[in-house]
Amino acid sequence: MTTAKSFDPKPSIDLNGKKVGNDGAQAVAAVVSVCDDVDFVSLSQNKITNDGALALAAMVREAKAVDTLHLVNNAIEERGAEALAAACHASTLMIRLNLNLNTVPQKLVQE
């Protein structure tokens, strides 16, 4: 008898368009920072600004599993984008940071 392997996906957080704003971004960052297995976080279209981006940058530095962070179509500007880029570059886990449709200098988008 052959049994199929069970698929055990890692937990992810997808709150696209849920109007979480900076408070929600900070709450997600706090939770993910202490989780051992959340690998995907998507907070696109949530009106997150630099304040939320700074909390998410700290999350990237502390996270144990996050390798993908989507922040499309928020209100993140250069300061927040630079903090996120620096955290991603310092991380051994991060594979993808998506900041499309934010007010981010082109040089940061291409890094």
Side-chain angles (χ1 to χ4, degrees):
M1 180 163 129
T2 305
T3 59
K5 288 185 178 181
S6 64
F7 180 67
D8 187 18
K10 288 189 174 189
S12 63
I13 295 176
D14 184 348
L15 295 173
N16 293 338
K18 301 296 185 195
K19 302 178 185 173
V20 301
N22 289 327
D23 290 341
Q26 291 166 351
V28 167
V31 169
V32 172
S33 293
V34 297
C35 289
D36 290 339
D37 53 1
V38 174
D39 65 345
F40 177 89
V41 177
S42 187
L43 296 171
S44 297
Q45 300 175 346
N46 277 295
K47 299 183 181 178
I48 296 168
T49 68
N50 288 335
D51 292 338
L54 294 174
L56 293 167
M59 174 201 74
V60 168
R61 287 191 299 275
E62 298 168 13
K64 296 170 180 68
V66 174
D67 61 19
T68 304
L69 178 58
H70 288 203
L71 296 169
V72 177
N73 198 19
N74 279 291
I76 298 168
E77 297 175 328
E78 186 169 3
R79 183 171 59 101
E82 285 176 344
L84 285 162
C88 289
H89 284 296
S91 171
T92 58
L93 300 171
M94 282 299 292
I95 297 169
R96 180 158 174 81
L97 169 64
N98 189 341
L99 290 173
N100 289 334
L101 302 176
N102 283 279
T103 310
V104 177
Q106 194 61 31
K107 67 177 181 152
L108 290 175
V109 173
Q110 294 174 349
E111 287 183 4

CSV table of all heavy atoms in Angstrom, one decimal, residues 67-108:
chain,number,residue,atom,x,y,z
A,67,ASP,N,11.1,34.9,4.2
A,67,ASP,CA,11.9,35.1,3.0
A,67,ASP,C,11.2,35.9,1.9
A,67,ASP,O,11.9,36.3,0.9
A,67,ASP,CB,12.3,33.7,2.4
A,67,ASP,CG,11.2,32.9,2.0
A,67,ASP,OD1,10.1,33.4,1.8
A,67,ASP,OD2,11.4,31.7,1.8
A,68,THR,N,10.0,36.3,2.1
A,68,THR,CA,9.2,37.1,1.1
A,68,THR,C,8.4,38.1,1.9
A,68,THR,O,7.6,37.8,2.8
A,68,THR,CB,8.4,36.2,0.2
A,68,THR,OG1,9.2,35.2,-0.4
A,68,THR,CG2,7.6,37.1,-0.8
A,69,LEU,N,8.5,39.4,1.4
A,69,LEU,CA,7.7,40.5,2.0
A,69,LEU,C,7.1,41.3,0.8
A,69,LEU,O,7.9,41.9,0.1
A,69,LEU,CB,8.5,41.3,2.9
A,69,LEU,CG,7.9,42.6,3.5
A,69,LEU,CD1,6.7,42.2,4.4
A,69,LEU,CD2,8.9,43.3,4.4
A,70,HIS,N,5.8,41.4,0.7
A,70,HIS,CA,5.2,42.1,-0.4
A,70,HIS,C,4.5,43.4,0.3
A,70,HIS,O,3.7,43.2,1.2
A,70,HIS,CB,4.1,41.3,-1.1
A,70,HIS,CG,4.6,40.3,-2.0
A,70,HIS,ND1,3.9,39.8,-3.0
A,70,HIS,CD2,5.8,39.7,-2.0
A,70,HIS,CE1,4.6,38.9,-3.6
A,70,HIS,NE2,5.8,38.8,-3.0
A,71,LEU,N,4.9,44.5,-0.2
A,71,LEU,CA,4.4,45.8,0.3
A,71,LEU,C,3.9,46.7,-0.9
A,71,LEU,O,4.1,47.9,-0.8
A,71,LEU,CB,5.4,46.5,1.2
A,71,LEU,CG,5.8,45.8,2.4
A,71,LEU,CD1,7.0,46.4,3.1
A,71,LEU,CD2,4.7,45.7,3.4
A,72,VAL,N,3.3,46.1,-1.8
A,72,VAL,CA,2.9,46.9,-3.1
A,72,VAL,C,1.8,47.9,-2.7
A,72,VAL,O,0.9,47.6,-2.0
A,72,VAL,CB,2.4,45.8,-4.1
A,72,VAL,CG1,1.9,46.6,-5.4
A,72,VAL,CG2,3.5,44.8,-4.5
A,73,ASN,N,1.9,49.0,-3.4
A,73,ASN,CA,0.9,50.1,-3.4
A,73,ASN,C,0.5,50.5,-1.9
A,73,ASN,O,-0.6,50.5,-1.5
A,73,ASN,CB,-0.4,49.6,-4.1
A,73,ASN,CG,-1.3,50.7,-4.5
A,73,ASN,OD1,-0.9,51.9,-4.5
A,73,ASN,ND2,-2.5,50.4,-4.8
A,74,ASN,N,1.6,50.9,-1.2
A,74,ASN,CA,1.4,51.6,0.1
A,74,ASN,C,1.9,53.0,0.0
A,74,ASN,O,1.9,53.5,-1.1
A,74,ASN,CB,2.2,50.8,1.2
A,74,ASN,CG,1.4,49.6,1.6
A,74,ASN,OD1,0.4,49.7,2.3
A,74,ASN,ND2,1.9,48.4,1.3
A,75,ALA,N,2.3,53.6,1.0
A,75,ALA,CA,2.8,55.0,1.0
A,75,ALA,C,4.2,55.1,1.6
A,75,ALA,O,4.5,56.0,2.3
A,75,ALA,CB,1.8,55.9,1.8
A,76,ILE,N,5.0,54.1,1.3
A,76,ILE,CA,6.3,54.0,1.8
A,76,ILE,C,7.2,54.9,0.9
A,76,ILE,O,7.2,54.8,-0.3
A,76,ILE,CB,6.8,52.5,1.8
A,76,ILE,CG1,6.0,51.7,2.7
A,76,ILE,CG2,8.3,52.5,2.2
A,76,ILE,CD1,6.2,50.2,2.6
A,77,GLU,N,8.0,55.7,1.6
A,77,GLU,CA,8.9,56.6,0.9
A,77,GLU,C,10.4,56.2,1.1
A,77,GLU,O,10.6,55.1,1.6
A,77,GLU,CB,8.7,58.0,1.3
A,77,GLU,CG,7.3,58.5,1.0
A,77,GLU,CD,7.0,59.9,1.6
A,77,GLU,OE1,7.5,60.2,2.7
A,77,GLU,OE2,6.2,60.6,0.9
A,78,GLU,N,11.3,57.0,0.7
A,78,GLU,CA,12.7,56.7,0.7
A,78,GLU,C,13.2,56.2,2.0
A,78,GLU,O,13.9,55.1,2.1
A,78,GLU,CB,13.6,57.9,0.2
A,78,GLU,CG,15.0,57.5,0.1
A,78,GLU,CD,15.8,58.6,-0.6
A,78,GLU,OE1,15.3,59.7,-1.0
A,78,GLU,OE2,17.0,58.4,-0.9
A,79,ARG,N,12.9,56.9,3.1
A,79,ARG,CA,13.4,56.4,4.5
A,79,ARG,C,13.0,55.0,4.8
A,79,ARG,O,13.8,54.2,5.3
A,79,ARG,CB,13.0,57.4,5.5
A,79,ARG,CG,13.5,57.1,6.9
A,79,ARG,CD,13.2,58.3,7.9
A,79,ARG,NE,11.8,58.5,8.0
A,79,ARG,CZ,11.1,58.1,9.1
A,79,ARG,NH1,11.6,57.4,10.0
A,79,ARG,NH2,9.8,58.4,9.1
A,80,GLY,N,11.8,54.7,4.6
A,80,GLY,CA,11.3,53.4,4.9
A,80,GLY,C,11.8,52.3,4.0
A,80,GLY,O,12.2,51.2,4.4
A,81,ALA,N,11.9,52.7,2.7
A,81,ALA,CA,12.5,51.8,1.7
A,81,ALA,C,13.9,51.5,2.0
A,81,ALA,O,14.4,50.3,1.9
A,81,ALA,CB,12.3,52.3,0.3
A,82,GLU,N,14.7,52.5,2.4
A,82,GLU,CA,16.1,52.3,2.7
A,82,GLU,C,16.3,51.3,3.9
A,82,GLU,O,17.1,50.5,3.9
A,82,GLU,CB,16.8,53.6,3.0
A,82,GLU,CG,17.1,54.4,1.7
A,82,GLU,CD,17.7,55.7,2.0
A,82,GLU,OE1,17.7,56.2,3.1
A,82,GLU,OE2,18.2,56.3,1.0
A,83,ALA,N,15.4,51.5,4.9
A,83,ALA,CA,15.5,50.7,6.1
A,83,ALA,C,15.1,49.2,5.7
A,83,ALA,O,15.8,48.3,6.2
A,83,ALA,CB,14.5,51.2,7.2
A,84,LEU,N,14.1,49.0,4.9
A,84,LEU,CA,13.8,47.7,4.5
A,84,LEU,C,14.9,47.1,3.6
A,84,LEU,O,15.2,45.9,3.8
A,84,LEU,CB,12.5,47.7,3.7
A,84,LEU,CG,11.2,47.9,4.5
A,84,LEU,CD1,10.1,48.4,3.6
A,84,LEU,CD2,10.8,46.7,5.2
A,85,ALA,N,15.5,47.9,2.7
A,85,ALA,CA,16.5,47.3,1.9
A,85,ALA,C,17.7,46.9,2.7
A,85,ALA,O,18.3,45.8,2.5
A,85,ALA,CB,16.9,48.4,0.8
A,86,ALA,N,18.1,47.7,3.7
A,86,ALA,CA,19.2,47.4,4.6
A,86,ALA,C,19.0,46.1,5.3
A,86,ALA,O,19.8,45.3,5.5
A,86,ALA,CB,19.5,48.6,5.5
A,87,ALA,N,17.8,46.0,5.9
A,87,ALA,CA,17.4,44.8,6.6
A,87,ALA,C,17.4,43.6,5.7
A,87,ALA,O,17.9,42.5,6.2
A,87,ALA,CB,16.0,45.0,7.3
A,88,CYS,N,17.0,43.7,4.5
A,88,CYS,CA,17.0,42.6,3.6
A,88,CYS,C,18.4,42.2,3.2
A,88,CYS,O,18.7,41.0,3.1
A,88,CYS,CB,16.2,42.9,2.3
A,88,CYS,SG,14.4,43.0,2.6
A,89,HIS,N,19.2,43.1,3.0
A,89,HIS,CA,20.6,42.8,2.6
A,89,HIS,C,21.3,42.2,3.8
A,89,HIS,O,22.2,41.3,3.6
A,89,HIS,CB,21.4,44.1,2.2
A,89,HIS,CG,21.0,44.6,0.8
A,89,HIS,ND1,21.3,43.8,-0.3
A,89,HIS,CD2,20.4,45.7,0.4
A,89,HIS,CE1,20.9,44.5,-1.4
A,89,HIS,NE2,20.3,45.6,-1.0
A,90,ALA,N,21.0,42.5,5.0
A,90,ALA,CA,21.6,41.9,6.2
A,90,ALA,C,21.1,40.5,6.5
A,90,ALA,O,21.7,39.7,7.2
A,90,ALA,CB,21.5,42.8,7.4
A,91,SER,N,19.9,40.2,6.0
A,91,SER,CA,19.3,39.0,6.3
A,91,SER,C,19.8,37.8,5.4
A,91,SER,O,20.1,38.0,4.2
A,91,SER,CB,17.8,39.1,6.0
A,91,SER,OG,17.1,37.8,6.1
A,92,THR,N,20.0,36.7,6.0
A,92,THR,CA,20.4,35.5,5.3
A,92,THR,C,19.2,34.8,4.7
A,92,THR,O,19.4,33.8,3.9
A,92,THR,CB,21.2,34.5,6.2
A,92,THR,OG1,20.4,34.1,7.2
A,92,THR,CG2,22.5,35.2,6.7
A,93,LEU,N,18.0,35.2,5.0
A,93,LEU,CA,16.8,34.5,4.6
A,93,LEU,C,16.0,35.2,3.4
A,93,LEU,O,15.4,34.5,2.6
A,93,LEU,CB,15.8,34.4,5.8
A,93,LEU,CG,16.3,33.6,7.0
A,93,LEU,CD1,15.3,33.7,8.1
A,93,LEU,CD2,16.5,32.1,6.6
A,94,MET,N,16.0,36.5,3.4
A,94,MET,CA,15.2,37.3,2.5
A,94,MET,C,15.6,37.0,1.0
A,94,MET,O,16.7,37.1,0.6
A,94,MET,CB,15.3,38.8,2.7
A,94,MET,CG,14.5,39.2,3.9
A,94,MET,SD,12.7,38.9,3.8
A,94,MET,CE,12.2,40.0,2.5
A,95,ILE,N,14.5,36.6,0.3
A,95,ILE,CA,14.7,36.4,-1.2
A,95,ILE,C,14.0,37.5,-2.0
A,95,ILE,O,14.5,37.9,-3.0
A,95,ILE,CB,14.1,35.0,-1.6
A,95,ILE,CG1,14.8,33.9,-0.8
A,95,ILE,CG2,14.1,34.8,-3.1
A,95,ILE,CD1,14.1,32.5,-1.0
A,96,ARG,N,12.8,38.0,-1.5
A,96,ARG,CA,12.1,38.9,-2.3
A,96,ARG,C,11.4,40.0,-1.4
A,96,ARG,O,10.7,39.6,-0.4
A,96,ARG,CB,11.0,38.2,-3.1
A,96,ARG,CG,10.1,39.1,-3.9
A,96,ARG,CD,9.5,38.3,-5.0
A,96,ARG,NE,8.6,39.0,-5.8
A,96,ARG,CZ,8.9,39.9,-6.8
A,96,ARG,NH1,10.1,40.1,-7.1
A,96,ARG,NH2,8.0,40.5,-7.4
A,97,LEU,N,11.7,41.2,-1.8
A,97,LEU,CA,11.0,42.4,-1.2
A,97,LEU,C,10.3,43.1,-2.3
A,97,LEU,O,11.0,43.5,-3.3
A,97,LEU,CB,12.0,43.3,-0.5
A,97,LEU,CG,11.4,44.7,0.0
A,97,LEU,CD1,10.3,44.5,1.0
A,97,LEU,CD2,12.6,45.5,0.5
A,98,ASN,N,9.0,43.3,-2.3
A,98,ASN,CA,8.3,43.9,-3.4
A,98,ASN,C,7.7,45.2,-2.9
A,98,ASN,O,6.8,45.3,-2.1
A,98,ASN,CB,7.2,43.0,-3.9
A,98,ASN,CG,6.5,43.6,-5.2
A,98,ASN,OD1,6.7,44.7,-5.5
A,98,ASN,ND2,5.9,42.7,-5.9
A,99,LEU,N,8.3,46.3,-3.4
A,99,LEU,CA,7.9,47.7,-3.1
A,99,LEU,C,7.3,48.4,-4.2
A,99,LEU,O,7.2,49.7,-4.2
A,99,LEU,CB,9.1,48.5,-2.5
A,99,LEU,CG,9.6,48.1,-1.1
A,99,LEU,CD1,10.9,48.8,-0.8
A,99,LEU,CD2,8.6,48.3,-0.1
A,100,ASN,N,6.8,47.7,-5.2
A,100,ASN,CA,6.2,48.4,-6.4
A,100,ASN,C,5.1,49.3,-6.0
A,100,ASN,O,4.4,49.0,-5.0
A,100,ASN,CB,5.7,47.3,-7.4
A,100,ASN,CG,6.8,46.6,-8.1
A,100,ASN,OD1,7.9,47.2,-8.3
A,100,ASN,ND2,6.5,45.4,-8.5
A,101,LEU,N,4.9,50.4,-6.7
A,101,LEU,CA,3.8,51.3,-6.5
A,101,LEU,C,3.9,52.1,-5.2
A,101,LEU,O,2.9,52.4,-4.6
A,101,LEU,CB,2.5,50.7,-6.7
A,101,LEU,CG,2.2,50.1,-8.1
A,101,LEU,CD1,0.9,49.4,-8.2
A,101,LEU,CD2,2.4,51.1,-9.2
A,102,ASN,N,5.1,52.3,-4.7
A,102,ASN,CA,5.3,53.1,-3.5
A,102,ASN,C,6.1,54.3,-4.0
A,102,ASN,O,6.6,54.3,-5.2
A,102,ASN,CB,6.1,52.4,-2.4
A,102,ASN,CG,5.2,51.4,-1.7
A,102,ASN,OD1,4.5,51.8,-0.7
A,102,ASN,ND2,5.3,50.1,-2.0
A,103,THR,N,6.4,55.3,-3.2
A,103,THR,CA,7.2,56.5,-3.6
A,103,THR,C,8.6,56.2,-3.2
A,103,THR,O,9.2,56.7,-2.3
A,103,THR,CB,6.7,57.7,-2.9
A,103,THR,OG1,5.3,57.8,-3.1
A,103,THR,CG2,7.3,59.0,-3.5
A,104,VAL,N,9.2,55.3,-4.0
A,104,VAL,CA,10.6,54.8,-3.7
A,104,VAL,C,11.5,55.1,-4.8
A,104,VAL,O,11.1,54.9,-6.0
A,104,VAL,CB,10.5,53.2,-3.5
A,104,VAL,CG1,11.9,52.7,-3.3
A,104,VAL,CG2,9.6,52.9,-2.4
A,105,PRO,N,12.7,55.7,-4.5
A,105,PRO,CA,13.6,56.0,-5.6
A,105,PRO,C,13.9,54.7,-6.4
A,105,PRO,O,14.1,53.6,-5.9
A,105,PRO,CB,14.9,56.5,-4.9
A,105,PRO,CG,14.4,56.9,-3.5
A,105,PRO,CD,13.2,56.0,-3.2
A,106,GLN,N,14.1,54.9,-7.7
A,106,GLN,CA,14.3,53.8,-8.6
A,106,GLN,C,15.5,53.0,-8.2
A,106,GLN,O,15.6,51.8,-8.4
A,106,GLN,CB,14.4,54.3,-10.1
A,106,GLN,CG,14.4,53.2,-11.1
A,106,GLN,CD,13.0,52.5,-11.1
A,106,GLN,OE1,12.0,53.0,-10.8
A,106,GLN,NE2,13.1,51.2,-11.4
A,107,LYS,N,16.6,53.7,-7.7
A,107,LYS,CA,17.8,53.0,-7.4
A,107,LYS,C,17.5,51.9,-6.3
A,107,LYS,O,18.2,50.8,-6.3
A,107,LYS,CB,18.9,53.9,-6.9
A,107,LYS,CG,18.5,54.6,-5.6
A,107,LYS,CD,19.6,55.5,-5.0
A,107,LYS,CE,19.2,56.1,-3.7
A,107,LYS,NZ,20.2,56.4,-2.8
A,108,LEU,N,16.6,52.1,-5.4
A,108,LEU,CA,16.3,51.1,-4.4
A,108,LEU,C,15.4,50.0,-4.9
A,108,LEU,O,15.5,48.9,-4.5
A,108,LEU,CB,15.5,51.8,-3.2
A,108,LEU,CG,16.4,52.7,-2.3
A,108,LEU,CD1,15.5,53.4,-1.3
A,108,LEU,CD2,17.5,52.0,-1.7
